[in-house]
Amino acid sequence: MPVSKARTVVVTGSTSGIGLGIARGFAAEGANIVINGFGKAEEIEVIRRKLEDEGAAAALYHAADMTKPDEIADLIATAREKFGGVDVLVNNAGIQHVARIEDFPPEKWDQLIAILLSSAFHTMRHAIPLMKENGKGRIINVASAHGLVASPFKSAYVAAKHGILGLTKTAALELAQSGITVNAICPGFVLTPLVEKQIPDQAREKGISEAQVKDEVMLRLQATKEFVGIEEVAAAALYLASDAARSVTGTHISVDGGWTAQ
Ligand code: NAD
């Protein structure tokens, strides 16, 4: 089995948005990166190569669908096979669906819970034994301000994000004496494709314009009145993965422009 000295970082849902930003942050530190997520093969190959150009020791793409436990198992097994293990696991993949509970399609509920919550259980149950073998590891769950507070029409998302904070705390306690920390990041609104897609849905649900959703619904919640930058969330992930954060476990870092201070 080839073993590289560089740290190996697996980031789920990293073909876009926050996950890609986190992958780029670790690439710049010279890590082996395993990216994952959907997209066109040729565009993903451009992303993969760019990560190597930006400093990754190596970048590998794995197409695991985060609703499929067998594919998730293969993602972690592949990281071990290619790079010898997993040093940092970032559970980030996500989607959103916006509807009233009574109109919320049950299959959408199941899909959101699978991607946003159950996938992290599956990546963790396969990665933890590898981290224990190494005597160290970092697990970082990208939650949300919606892990701490709710908004209407986002029942599955809010439930999953509250759930992942519970999973984070439980895992942190289980692993506290194994050299493995488990934390979450709770971003506010970051202008990524996930957020851009929900603007028309929110406008329809609330009967307002798309510009009003941005200014009066999303940024109303952020005290700074500004969207959070992808690189700000990536910086929090890099900190949580650093030696300086070895006593930080079972908690979250909010990067939400003051949203949850209200
Ligand atoms: P995005 O749409 O830009 O990226 C989502 C990524 O997840 C993509 O790579 C996509 O291909 C991947 N993905 C979706 N379904 C998948 C599946 N079944 N299997 C594997 N990969 C899948 O979204 P984003 O805004 O960057 O969101 C990333 C994470 O950040 C999510 O967990 C989201 O809930 C969280 N978050 C986002 C915001 C925000 O404002 N954008 C705020 C708080 C938290």
Side-chain angles (χ1 to χ4, degrees):
M1 189 192 319
V3 179
S4 155
K5 278 190 217 137
R7 282 201 298 187
T8 297
V9 183
V10 175
V11 188
T12 70
S14 43
T15 52
S16 162
I18 291 170
L20 177 54
I22 291 173
R24 292 183 69 191
F26 282 104
E29 293 198 338
N32 296 313
I33 311 286
V34 181
I35 55 165
N36 156 262
F38 298 145
K40 291 193 184 123
E42 59 276 18
E43 287 173 11
I44 292 171
E45 177 53 18
V46 171
I47 290 170
R48 195 199 64 72
R49 248 188 274 137
K50 193 157 181 260
L51 288 169
E52 290 184 345
D53 291 346
E54 290 178 353
L60 178 90
Y61 169 67
H62 192 289
D65 179 338
M66 288 298 121
T67 64
K68 305 214 164 98
D70 291 354
E71 295 184 18
I72 296 171
D74 192 62
L75 168 71
I76 302 300
T78 301
R80 183 195 180 102
E81 194 183 305
K82 302 285 183 195
F83 300 127
V86 176
D87 298 290
V88 182
L89 168 65
V90 183
N91 290 304
N92 167 82
I95 60 166
Q96 178 59 284
H97 188 80
V98 178
R100 289 171 195 281
I101 291 173
E102 63 269 34
D103 302 327
F104 214 95
E107 58 281 7
K108 272 282 163 206
W109 170 276
D110 288 344
Q111 189 190 11
L112 261 76
I113 299 295
I115 297 171
L116 294 168
L117 180 57
S118 303
S119 76
F121 161 70
H122 292 296
T123 54
M124 283 163 67
R125 76 193 176 90
H126 295 298
I128 286 168
L130 307 185
M131 292 178 173
K132 281 186 169 170
E133 268 175 30
N134 270 343
K136 60 183 171 29
R138 293 284 193 264
I139 299 171
I140 299 165
N141 296 320
V142 179
S144 168
H146 280 124
L148 301 165
V149 295
S151 294
F153 316 126
K154 296 186 176 178
S155 54
Y157 189 87
V158 170
K161 294 298 189 184
H162 276 66
I164 196 130
L165 289 185
L167 177 62
T168 300
K169 291 186 228 176
T170 305
L173 293 180
E174 290 184 19
L175 298 168
Q177 291 171 35
S178 307
I180 302 166
T181 68
V182 190
N183 293 289
I185 301 174
C186 293
F189 280 105
V190 186
L191 214 45
T192 65
L194 179 142
V195 166
E196 280 167 10
K197 269 182 246 156
Q198 65 185 276
I199 292 172
D201 295 345
Q202 288 244 27
R204 198 175 48 250
E205 284 294 335
K206 294 190 159 71
I208 57 177
S209 74
E210 295 188 14
Q212 282 174 301
V213 171
K214 251 180 169 174
D215 296 342
E216 294 169 21
V217 179
M218 294 176 168
L219 293 183
R220 180 184 60 83
L221 296 168
Q222 274 175 209
T224 54
K225 305 293 173 205
E226 285 176 15
F227 285 97
V228 173
I230 288 174
E231 62 295 339
E232 297 173 56
V233 182
L238 291 176
Y239 165 67
L240 289 172
S242 72
D243 286 343
R246 71 183 176 283
S247 301
V248 179
T249 196
T251 190
H252 67 272
I253 297 180
S254 285
V255 189
D256 69 0
W259 173 352
T260 54
Q262 297 170 67

